[in-house]
């Protein structure tokens, strides 16, 4: 069972601002590690507090905030950024 990875407009803009190597690493992580999983929650971590409905993945010093939609087998990437900036 393969999950589809989609990117919100804000995530696309944030990826464009990153250098190519970092953006490629993040895209490869989502495509190679998360998409083929049976359950994308087996990797990463659930967020708490006001962002409690979302899931996060870590790639180096960057965080990828996602909404996992089980009904349509889709992982929607909401935000991408450095750890010190992403949760604000």
């Amino acid at each position: 069972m393969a999950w589809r990875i989609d990117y919100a407009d804000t995530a696309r803009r944030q990826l464009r601002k990153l250098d190519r190597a970092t953006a490629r690493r993040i895209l490869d992580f989502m495509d190679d590690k998360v998409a083929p999983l049976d359950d994308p929650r087996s990797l990463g971590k659930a967020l708490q507090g006001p962002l409690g409905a979302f899931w996060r993945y870590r790639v180096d010093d960057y965080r990828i905030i996602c909404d996992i939609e089980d009904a349509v087998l889709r992982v929607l990437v909401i935000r991408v950024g450095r750890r010190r900036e992403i949760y604000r």
Side-chain angles (χ1 to χ4, degrees), residues 16-79:
R16 274 189 232 119
K17 290 180 183 179
L18 300 176
D19 62 279
R20 284 186 189 253
T22 303
R24 175 59 34 206
R25 239 185 354 247
I26 291 170
L27 293 172
D28 288 345
F29 174 83
M30 294 303 291
D31 291 338
D32 298 341
K33 304 273 184 177
V34 177
L37 292 173
D38 287 333
D39 182 13
R41 290 177 181 90
S42 63
L43 200 65
K45 191 174 182 181
L47 292 177
Q48 297 176 351
L51 298 174
F54 300 113
W55 205 258
R56 76 140 167 100
Y57 298 103
R58 186 179 90 167
V59 176
D60 297 329
D61 193 31
Y62 289 87
R63 300 298 184 267
I64 306 162
I65 308 294
C66 300
D67 184 17
I68 298 174
E69 300 172 355
D70 294 306
V72 290
L73 296 179
R74 177 171 89 149
V75 177
L76 178 63
V77 177
I78 307 282
R79 298 184 69 194

